[in-house]
Amino acid sequence: MDAARTPKWSFGLDRRGQIMATSDSGEIGLPWVITASRSGRGMKVSKYHPGDDLGAEGEAIGEITGNPREMGRQLRDLLGDIDLDE
C-alpha cells in the first residue's frame, strides 16, 4: 500500500482484508472506492461509484502483478488514470 499512496486517495483494508482506496466524491458518506483483491498470481482492481454496494462486484479496471512494491506502483498508476467525473 505504501508504494500506491497518492494525495487524492486514502488507503486501508476492508473487512475481508482487501486493499481499499477511497476518494471524496463531494457527497458526505458516499466516496469513490477502489478495491484490490487476490486473483490468480496478482490482484484484480475494481471501481465502485459513490453509493454502490461494496458487497457486489465492482467495475473491473485492471489487474496488478509482481512483487508488492511493483504492485503498489501499478495501483498508483491506475488510480492516477481514473476519471472520477463519470
Side-chain angles (χ1 to χ4, degrees):
M1 278 193 304
D2 288 338
R5 296 215 186 270
T6 180
K8 200 172 181 182
W9 293 90
S10 299
F11 287 86
L13 297 176
D14 70 4
R15 290 172 265 166
R16 295 172 281 177
Q18 299 181 128
I19 295 172
M20 183 168 70
T22 59
S23 183
D24 185 25
S25 70
E27 296 180 56
I28 296 173
L30 298 174
W32 288 94
V33 178
I34 303 298
T35 61
S37 57
R38 296 242 174 254
S39 175
R41 298 181 124 188
M43 300 184 96
K44 179 177 117 178
V45 181
S46 301
K47 174 176 148 183
Y48 295 85
H49 294 259
D52 282 356
D53 178 4
L54 298 180
E57 180 121 3
E59 175 186 341
I61 60 170
E63 280 200 29
I64 55 177
T65 59
N67 66 50
R69 181 175 295 210
E70 182 60 32
M71 290 171 51
R73 289 179 182 146
Q74 291 171 32
L75 181 57
R76 183 180 60 223
D77 290 343
L78 279 173
L79 293 173
D81 291 342
I82 293 174
D83 181 13
L84 297 180
D85 295 327
E86 298 177 354

